[in-house]
Amino acid sequence: MVGSGDAFGSGGRFQTCIALGPDDGNAHTLVDCGATSLVALREQGFDPNAIETVLITHLHGDHFGGLPFLVLDGQFRRRTTDLTVVGPPGTERRLAEAMEVFFPGSSTVRRRFEVRVVEHRDRAPFSTERFTAVPFEVRHASGAPAYALRVQDADGAARVAYSGDTEWTDALLAAAEGTDVFLCEGYTPAPVRWHLDLGTLGEHRDRFDTRRMILTHLSPTALSADLSGWETAHDGLVVRV
Ligand SMILES: [Zn+2]
Ligand SMILES: [Zn+2]
């Protein structure tokens, strides 16, 4: 868990970023890449140039805004590994726009590596030699469809899912089904539009078929609420499956 905070640095936490990889700590895949993620990766000892794939749940800055920094860092640090970004419909355009806003000219410069963008189709698997990811459309306004993601490693030994940001939808049950770990937004104690609150999640908790649910994307009010009975994420948390 590279970043477990909300968009605004709740509790001093980094924005959403989940690193996937083997036990030796060399992450090859990120799930979401918030604006703070390059800093968080460096702080936690990950090599950004080793990231091959970034899976994006939705096009809010705290979930995809770190991509321009990741791409430019690769350019300046002589990255040669291609980078694949898999995100909602519109990701290719939004990424180019974000790069041009932050670093004019950066979206069209020639590099030693390719940045390939693949856009999700609801419940259509995307596979690499390392894993298969399936997006489940959820309910969160972000200028494009938003998704929960389920990722299963290539030999089928580990299955993890992440809710992204969303208000309640039964699609979360499908995304989490049969997983070892389900990382779930626990944004606030009380309901707030387009997000998942602890009360609503508690009502549905017994319906989830997952071995372990861990709350993330906690706001300051959630962090100061009674979280007994919940497992919560923190920056730097390592989960072995
Ligand atoms: Zn968010
Ligand atoms: Zn969001």
Side-chain angles (χ1 to χ4, degrees):
M1 197 80 207
V2 181
S4 61
D6 66 1
F8 312 108
S10 56
R13 293 161 178 239
F14 289 115
Q15 295 171 0
T16 298
C17 185
I18 301 153
L20 304 179
D23 231 4
D24 63 10
N26 287 319
H28 51 66
T29 300
L30 300 181
V31 178
D32 281 348
C33 185
T36 59
S37 295
L38 189 62
V39 182
L41 286 166
R42 287 237 149 75
E43 201 248 358
Q44 293 171 33
F46 293 103
D47 176 9
N49 279 354
I51 302 300
E52 302 163 358
T53 311
V54 183
L55 305 168
I56 300 291
T57 60
H58 68 286
L59 296 178
H60 273 156
D62 61 314
H63 295 259
F64 95 109
L67 284 171
F69 302 96
L70 184 68
V71 171
L72 245 70
D73 181 68
Q75 183 180 321
F76 295 139
R77 292 178 191 276
R78 299 184 169 269
R79 177 186 177 113
T80 53
T81 310
D82 289 345
L83 179 69
T84 301
V85 176
V86 191
T91 295
E92 185 152 31
R93 180 178 59 79
R94 290 276 292 275
L95 176 57
E97 289 172 352
M99 294 198 66
E100 285 304 311
V101 166
F102 288 141
F103 303 102
S106 67
S107 71
T108 54
V109 71
R110 287 178 64 90
R111 303 185 193 94
R112 294 180 191 79
F113 61 98
E114 296 293 323
V115 179
R116 186 170 71 109
V117 178
V118 179
E119 299 189 347
H120 297 314
R121 284 182 299 119
D122 192 26
R123 308 203 182 197
F126 167 83
S127 293
T128 73
E129 61 184 17
R130 297 190 186 278
F131 66 82
T132 295
V134 182
F136 295 78
E137 188 167 347
V138 294
R139 296 174 51 80
H140 184 67
S142 51
Y147 298 87
L149 292 170
R150 182 168 67 206
V151 183
Q152 177 172 332
D153 71 352
D155 60 13
R159 281 177 283 189
V160 300
Y162 169 50
S163 65
D165 293 356
T166 180
E167 58 187 32
W168 176 259
T169 162
D170 281 355
L172 293 174
L173 301 174
E177 188 179 350
T179 53
D180 300 290
V181 179
F182 178 50
L183 292 160
C184 189
E185 177 182 31
Y187 191 44
T188 48
V192 55
R193 198 171 184 212
W194 301 123
H195 287 277
L196 203 50
D197 65 280
L198 300 171
T200 303
L201 189 57
E203 288 170 21
H204 295 283
R205 190 170 181 178
D206 291 343
R207 302 175 67 199
F208 281 95
D209 171 21
T210 184
R211 292 172 61 188
R212 187 174 173 188
M213 181 186 291
I214 304 175
L215 301 184
T216 188
H217 204 281
L218 299 137
S219 70
T221 52
L223 287 170
S224 59
D226 178 9
L227 292 169
S228 56
W230 297 101
E231 184 177 1
T232 58
H234 56 83
D235 294 2
L237 173 70
V238 176
V239 179
R240 292 190 166 80
V241 291

mmCIF file with all atom_site columns, all heavy atoms in Angstrom, residues 58 60 62-63 140 142 165 195 217, ligand 2:
data_model
loop_
_atom_site.group_PDB
_atom_site.id
_atom_site.type_symbol
_atom_site.label_atom_id
_atom_site.label_alt_id
_atom_site.label_comp_id
_atom_site.label_asym_id
_atom_site.label_entity_id
_atom_site.label_seq_id
_atom_site.pdbx_PDB_ins_code
_atom_site.Cartn_x
_atom_site.Cartn_y
_atom_site.Cartn_z
_atom_site.occupancy
_atom_site.B_iso_or_equiv
_atom_site.pdbx_formal_charge
_atom_site.auth_seq_id
_atom_site.auth_comp_id
_atom_site.auth_asym_id
_atom_site.auth_atom_id
_atom_site.pdbx_PDB_model_num
ATOM   1  N  N   . HIS A 1 58  ? -10.267 5.332  -11.907 1.00 0.00 ? 58  HIS A N   1
ATOM   2  C  CA  . HIS A 1 58  ? -11.075 6.442  -12.445 1.00 0.00 ? 58  HIS A CA  1
ATOM   3  C  C   . HIS A 1 58  ? -10.206 7.684  -12.593 1.00 0.00 ? 58  HIS A C   1
ATOM   4  O  O   . HIS A 1 58  ? -9.098  7.763  -12.047 1.00 0.00 ? 58  HIS A O   1
ATOM   5  C  CB  . HIS A 1 58  ? -12.316 6.703  -11.588 1.00 0.00 ? 58  HIS A CB  1
ATOM   6  C  CG  . HIS A 1 58  ? -12.036 7.245  -10.216 1.00 0.00 ? 58  HIS A CG  1
ATOM   7  N  ND1 . HIS A 1 58  ? -11.519 6.482  -9.189  1.00 0.00 ? 58  HIS A ND1 1
ATOM   8  C  CD2 . HIS A 1 58  ? -12.205 8.494  -9.687  1.00 0.00 ? 58  HIS A CD2 1
ATOM   9  C  CE1 . HIS A 1 58  ? -11.401 7.221  -8.102  1.00 0.00 ? 58  HIS A CE1 1
ATOM   10 N  NE2 . HIS A 1 58  ? -11.792 8.456  -8.368  1.00 0.00 ? 58  HIS A NE2 1
ATOM   11 N  N   . HIS A 1 60  ? -9.841  10.796 -11.598 1.00 0.00 ? 60  HIS A N   1
ATOM   12 C  CA  . HIS A 1 60  ? -9.637  11.897 -10.659 1.00 0.00 ? 60  HIS A CA  1
ATOM   13 C  C   . HIS A 1 60  ? -8.144  12.024 -10.365 1.00 0.00 ? 60  HIS A C   1
ATOM   14 O  O   . HIS A 1 60  ? -7.421  11.016 -10.338 1.00 0.00 ? 60  HIS A O   1
ATOM   15 C  CB  . HIS A 1 60  ? -10.402 11.668 -9.351  1.00 0.00 ? 60  HIS A CB  1
ATOM   16 C  CG  . HIS A 1 60  ? -11.824 12.159 -9.390  1.00 0.00 ? 60  HIS A CG  1
ATOM   17 N  ND1 . HIS A 1 60  ? -12.810 11.670 -8.570  1.00 0.00 ? 60  HIS A ND1 1
ATOM   18 C  CD2 . HIS A 1 60  ? -12.408 13.115 -10.164 1.00 0.00 ? 60  HIS A CD2 1
ATOM   19 C  CE1 . HIS A 1 60  ? -13.954 12.304 -8.830  1.00 0.00 ? 60  HIS A CE1 1
ATOM   20 N  NE2 . HIS A 1 60  ? -13.739 13.182 -9.792  1.00 0.00 ? 60  HIS A NE2 1
ATOM   21 N  N   . ASP A 1 62  ? -6.416  12.382 -7.749  1.00 0.00 ? 62  ASP A N   1
ATOM   22 C  CA  . ASP A 1 62  ? -5.826  11.590 -6.664  1.00 0.00 ? 62  ASP A CA  1
ATOM   23 C  C   . ASP A 1 62  ? -5.742  10.104 -7.006  1.00 0.00 ? 62  ASP A C   1
ATOM   24 O  O   . ASP A 1 62  ? -5.275  9.303  -6.176  1.00 0.00 ? 62  ASP A O   1
ATOM   25 C  CB  . ASP A 1 62  ? -6.574  11.806 -5.338  1.00 0.00 ? 62  ASP A CB  1
ATOM   26 C  CG  . ASP A 1 62  ? -8.033  11.396 -5.381  1.00 0.00 ? 62  ASP A CG  1
ATOM   27 O  OD1 . ASP A 1 62  ? -8.725  11.752 -6.355  1.00 0.00 ? 62  ASP A OD1 1
ATOM   28 O  OD2 . ASP A 1 62  ? -8.503  10.736 -4.436  1.00 0.00 ? 62  ASP A OD2 1
ATOM   29 N  N   . HIS A 1 63  ? -6.154  9.748  -8.237  1.00 0.00 ? 63  HIS A N   1
ATOM   30 C  CA  . HIS A 1 63  ? -6.042  8.353  -8.678  1.00 0.00 ? 63  HIS A CA  1
ATOM   31 C  C   . HIS A 1 63  ? -5.222  8.202  -9.957  1.00 0.00 ? 63  HIS A C   1
ATOM   32 O  O   . HIS A 1 63  ? -4.671  7.133  -10.209 1.00 0.00 ? 63  HIS A O   1
ATOM   33 C  CB  . HIS A 1 63  ? -7.429  7.729  -8.851  1.00 0.00 ? 63  HIS A CB  1
ATOM   34 C  CG  . HIS A 1 63  ? -8.183  7.622  -7.560  1.00 0.00 ? 63  HIS A CG  1
ATOM   35 N  ND1 . HIS A 1 63  ? -8.299  6.457  -6.842  1.00 0.00 ? 63  HIS A ND1 1
ATOM   36 C  CD2 . HIS A 1 63  ? -8.815  8.579  -6.819  1.00 0.00 ? 63  HIS A CD2 1
ATOM   37 C  CE1 . HIS A 1 63  ? -8.976  6.680  -5.721  1.00 0.00 ? 63  HIS A CE1 1
ATOM   38 N  NE2 . HIS A 1 63  ? -9.306  7.965  -5.685  1.00 0.00 ? 63  HIS A NE2 1
ATOM   39 N  N   . HIS A 1 140 ? -19.377 6.670  -9.519  1.00 0.00 ? 140 HIS A N   1
ATOM   40 C  CA  . HIS A 1 140 ? -18.550 7.761  -9.009  1.00 0.00 ? 140 HIS A CA  1
ATOM   41 C  C   . HIS A 1 140 ? -18.324 8.748  -10.150 1.00 0.00 ? 140 HIS A C   1
ATOM   42 O  O   . HIS A 1 140 ? -17.737 8.399  -11.166 1.00 0.00 ? 140 HIS A O   1
ATOM   43 C  CB  . HIS A 1 140 ? -17.214 7.200  -8.513  1.00 0.00 ? 140 HIS A CB  1
ATOM   44 C  CG  . HIS A 1 140 ? -16.312 8.210  -7.884  1.00 0.00 ? 140 HIS A CG  1
ATOM   45 N  ND1 . HIS A 1 140 ? -16.609 8.835  -6.684  1.00 0.00 ? 140 HIS A ND1 1
ATOM   46 C  CD2 . HIS A 1 140 ? -15.109 8.720  -8.278  1.00 0.00 ? 140 HIS A CD2 1
ATOM   47 C  CE1 . HIS A 1 140 ? -15.615 9.662  -6.374  1.00 0.00 ? 140 HIS A CE1 1
ATOM   48 N  NE2 . HIS A 1 140 ? -14.702 9.618  -7.319  1.00 0.00 ? 140 HIS A NE2 1
ATOM   49 N  N   . SER A 1 142 ? -16.672 11.258 -12.364 1.00 0.00 ? 142 SER A N   1
ATOM   50 C  CA  . SER A 1 142 ? -15.288 11.693 -12.566 1.00 0.00 ? 142 SER A CA  1
ATOM   51 C  C   . SER A 1 142 ? -15.012 12.035 -14.033 1.00 0.00 ? 142 SER A C   1
ATOM   52 O  O   . SER A 1 142 ? -13.881 11.989 -14.482 1.00 0.00 ? 142 SER A O   1
ATOM   53 C  CB  . SER A 1 142 ? -14.318 10.606 -12.081 1.00 0.00 ? 142 SER A CB  1
ATOM   54 O  OG  . SER A 1 142 ? -14.640 9.343  -12.647 1.00 0.00 ? 142 SER A OG  1
ATOM   55 N  N   . ASP A 1 165 ? -13.192 4.645  -5.919  1.00 0.00 ? 165 ASP A N   1
ATOM   56 C  CA  . ASP A 1 165 ? -14.157 5.501  -5.227  1.00 0.00 ? 165 ASP A CA  1
ATOM   57 C  C   . ASP A 1 165 ? -15.542 5.193  -5.787  1.00 0.00 ? 165 ASP A C   1
ATOM   58 O  O   . ASP A 1 165 ? -15.718 5.166  -7.002  1.00 0.00 ? 165 ASP A O   1
ATOM   59 C  CB  . ASP A 1 165 ? -13.872 6.992  -5.494  1.00 0.00 ? 165 ASP A CB  1
ATOM   60 C  CG  . ASP A 1 165 ? -12.572 7.480  -4.877  1.00 0.00 ? 165 ASP A CG  1
ATOM   61 O  OD1 . ASP A 1 165 ? -11.910 6.700  -4.171  1.00 0.00 ? 165 ASP A OD1 1
ATOM   62 O  OD2 . ASP A 1 165 ? -12.230 8.653  -5.114  1.00 0.00 ? 165 ASP A OD2 1
ATOM   63 N  N   . HIS A 1 195 ? -19.445 8.441  -2.759  1.00 0.00 ? 195 HIS A N   1
ATOM   64 C  CA  . HIS A 1 195 ? -18.411 7.730  -1.986  1.00 0.00 ? 195 HIS A CA  1
ATOM   65 C  C   . HIS A 1 195 ? -19.050 6.685  -1.085  1.00 0.00 ? 195 HIS A C   1
ATOM   66 O  O   . HIS A 1 195 ? -20.263 6.671  -0.887  1.00 0.00 ? 195 HIS A O   1
ATOM   67 C  CB  . HIS A 1 195 ? -17.595 8.710  -1.144  1.00 0.00 ? 195 HIS A CB  1
ATOM   68 C  CG  . HIS A 1 195 ? -16.658 9.555  -1.951  1.00 0.00 ? 195 HIS A CG  1
ATOM   69 N  ND1 . HIS A 1 195 ? -15.423 9.115  -2.343  1.00 0.00 ? 195 HIS A ND1 1
ATOM   70 C  CD2 . HIS A 1 195 ? -16.795 10.816 -2.442  1.00 0.00 ? 195 HIS A CD2 1
ATOM   71 C  CE1 . HIS A 1 195 ? -14.827 10.056 -3.047  1.00 0.00 ? 195 HIS A CE1 1
ATOM   72 N  NE2 . HIS A 1 195 ? -15.633 11.109 -3.124  1.00 0.00 ? 195 HIS A NE2 1
ATOM   73 N  N   . HIS A 1 217 ? -8.483  4.983  1.624   1.00 0.00 ? 217 HIS A N   1
ATOM   74 C  CA  . HIS A 1 217 ? -9.082  6.257  1.175   1.00 0.00 ? 217 HIS A CA  1
ATOM   75 C  C   . HIS A 1 217 ? -9.897  6.882  2.306   1.00 0.00 ? 217 HIS A C   1
ATOM   76 O  O   . HIS A 1 217 ? -10.998 7.379  2.112   1.00 0.00 ? 217 HIS A O   1
ATOM   77 C  CB  . HIS A 1 217 ? -9.966  6.011  -0.061  1.00 0.00 ? 217 HIS A CB  1
ATOM   78 C  CG  . HIS A 1 217 ? -10.177 7.212  -0.933  1.00 0.00 ? 217 HIS A CG  1
ATOM   79 N  ND1 . HIS A 1 217 ? -11.072 8.205  -0.631  1.00 0.00 ? 217 HIS A ND1 1
ATOM   80 C  CD2 . HIS A 1 217 ? -9.624  7.578  -2.112  1.00 0.00 ? 217 HIS A CD2 1
ATOM   81 C  CE1 . HIS A 1 217 ? -11.058 9.121  -1.594  1.00 0.00 ? 217 HIS A CE1 1
ATOM   82 N  NE2 . HIS A 1 217 ? -10.187 8.768  -2.504  1.00 0.00 ? 217 HIS A NE2 1
HETATM 83 ZN ZN  . ZN  B 2 .   ? -12.631 9.997  -7.080  1.00 0.00 ? 2   ZN  B ZN  1
#
